[in-house]
Amino acid sequence: MTENAAKRLKTESGLVAIGTHNGHFHADEALAVYMLRQHIPAYSGARLVRTRDPKLLDECHTVVDVGGEYEPARHRYDHHQRSFATTFPDRPTKLSSAGLVYLHFGREIVARRLAAPEDSEQVGLIWRKIYESFVEALDAHDNGISAYDPAALAAAGIEKRFSDGAFTLGSVVGRLNPNWNDPVPDDPVAAHAAEDKRFELASQRIGEEFDRDLDYYTQAWLPAREIVAGAFAARPEFDAEGRIMVLQGQSAPWKDHLYSLEEQSQEAGKVLYVLYPEKPTPDAKWRLQCVPNSKDSFQSRKPLPEVWRGFRDDKLDEISGINGCAFVHAAGFIGGNKSFGGALAMAKKALEI
């Protein structure tokens, strides 16, 4: 983009301006811009100035992902300078512009959604959770940090079994860049406008995913915490060693909370099976789910007995010796029964096998 073209675009409005670099765009600045514009009232309707011209960037109120400066007091949020090493509290990943904006504005974003004080425990809990579950992946992607140590994988001889389509949070934005052979308008202003249009689309796209995470953690995940805590405390009612946890009335997201409660607990034992109704009605069938080794793991702490797997209904009743069985998945990570009593009997018997 030429300097004249940038100036022409910059003078279109007197609104607060957010500056970022032009050219190929990435998920981190796309999300940084979205968070500011859509969640911080001071930036509502802010203009976007995409340029690398230092003079034009100097005139912007806020600059992200360009300029070689990290100075929050001056609203400068770049991470490319050699001396930069800032991370989110107690996390190892170096921040990108997304992480920097979230570090400084994330508490306000969460507090507004919860209508709670920024320094409240709930806000702090979700502020950290959204960073770990969403924003950190963008920081790692932009800084070239792999989720797994490549050298360790190679040393262990671990190779990918299949392509996952390279679909990541980073690729959600990356694929919206123009192809190398797409036609480009001859007029510099028109070319820049076309590029900006793509960036706006990318910013909205990654922002929608961010908002889904924000809605989930504030509206579903957080309310589930009290339910899971109650079920965790009631474990001895169903198993003296606390290996069975029962979610009464309605299923709720439990994995994150369970792992957190286990870490906080002084008890040595871990939950192996979680029981919950398929729907919140008295006649509901019940599910019996094995607790995975970690949230995203396909490996269970104690899978359901191999001899039960892949069978259903009467045949499963016969094999297990328990009435009312509905199914056990072939992989052994989940099963079901027509009643709570039957599901509990399945869990107790599975503990013995």
Side-chain angles (χ1 to χ4, degrees):
M1 171 187 176
T2 66
E3 181 176 342
N4 287 338
K7 286 182 177 178
R8 285 165 59 186
L9 288 169
K10 183 177 181 300
T11 57
E12 287 177 357
S13 169
L15 295 172
V16 168
I18 300 173
T20 191
H21 63 82
N22 59 327
H24 192 92
F25 48 78
H26 311 94
D28 67 314
E29 77 265 19
L31 180 60
V33 169
Y34 181 90
M35 288 189 290
L36 291 172
R37 283 168 139 185
Q38 300 301 321
H39 289 286
I40 306 300
Y43 292 94
S44 179
R47 292 183 297 119
L48 183 65
V49 178
R50 298 183 68 244
T51 181
R52 293 185 183 276
D53 185 332
K55 293 181 180 179
L56 295 175
L57 292 173
D58 283 345
E59 296 175 15
C60 292
H61 176 277
T62 299
V63 176
V64 300
D65 208 44
V66 69
E69 296 177 297
Y70 170 42
E71 295 186 31
R74 296 178 50 242
H75 304 291
R76 265 48 187 168
Y77 304 102
D78 194 15
H79 66 108
H80 293 99
Q81 52 274 30
R82 185 180 180 86
S83 60
F84 183 87
T86 303
T87 65
F88 196 83
D90 301 319
R91 298 300 297 175
T93 307
K94 187 168 72 170
L95 299 180
S96 67
S97 61
L100 282 173
V101 168
Y102 188 76
L103 177 68
H104 291 281
F105 295 92
R107 282 185 179 272
E108 180 180 350
I109 291 171
V110 174
R112 288 184 176 279
R113 186 57 59 94
L114 285 178
E118 285 188 36
D119 60 356
S120 69
E121 181 181 354
Q122 290 184 332
V123 168
L125 185 67
I126 294 180
W127 175 64
R128 172 169 293 281
K129 191 64 187 176
I130 291 177
Y131 179 77
E132 294 175 354
S133 70
F134 192 97
V135 181
E136 187 170 20
L138 301 183
D139 289 342
H141 177 267
D142 202 70
N143 284 302
I145 301 170
S146 299
Y148 297 96
D149 181 354
L153 291 176
I158 298 174
E159 298 181 357
K160 252 186 172 181
R161 290 178 174 172
F162 56 87
S163 171
D164 55 11
F167 192 83
T168 63
L169 286 175
S171 72
V172 165
V173 167
R175 64 180 62 205
L176 294 174
N177 277 285
N179 294 316
W180 69 273
N181 55 351
D182 285 346
V184 179
D186 293 331
D187 177 61
V189 174
H192 187 77
E195 186 182 279
D196 279 0
K197 185 177 181 179
R198 283 181 173 271
F199 178 85
E200 294 281 8
L201 178 63
S203 184
Q204 181 66 28
R205 179 70 182 87
I206 193 66
E208 289 171 355
E209 294 299 330
F210 174 82
D211 283 350
R212 286 188 181 94
D213 241 38
L214 180 62
D215 287 342
Y216 170 74
Y217 283 109
T218 55
Q219 298 174 22
W221 184 86
L222 186 61
R225 190 172 184 82
E226 184 175 348
I227 294 172
V228 179
F232 186 80
R235 289 173 300 141
E237 296 178 21
F238 309 102
D239 176 66
E241 297 179 37
R243 296 168 294 178
I244 298 172
M245 186 174 79
V246 178
L247 297 173
Q248 302 279 7
Q250 187 172 6
S251 175
W254 54 267
K255 293 179 184 177
D256 280 343
H257 300 305
L258 173 59
Y259 298 138
S260 175
L261 289 164
E262 286 181 335
E263 286 182 7
Q264 297 169 15
S265 174
Q266 300 300 314
E267 301 172 23
K270 291 185 179 294
V271 176
L272 301 180
Y273 302 124
V274 175
L275 277 60
Y276 54 88
E278 290 185 352
K279 53 185 178 179
T281 58
D283 62 342
K285 294 180 180 180
W286 279 73
R287 291 290 178 94
L288 160 63
Q289 187 168 348
C290 306
V291 177
N293 290 331
S294 61
K295 179 184 175 182
D296 299 317
S297 173
F298 289 107
Q299 302 298 316
S300 300
R301 289 175 174 174
K302 185 173 176 56
L304 293 174
E306 194 280 332
V307 69
W308 296 359
R309 299 177 200 174
F311 291 101
R312 306 182 63 87
D313 305 324
D314 293 343
K315 185 63 176 178
L316 183 55
D317 286 0
E318 178 186 339
I319 295 170
S320 67
I322 299 168
N323 292 328
C325 292
F327 76 99
V328 168
H329 193 280
F333 72 94
I334 193 168
N337 195 285
K338 295 176 183 177
S339 70
F340 166 68
L344 181 59
M346 291 175 71
K348 288 186 174 183
K349 193 159 190 176
L351 289 174
E352 301 170 0
I353 299 176

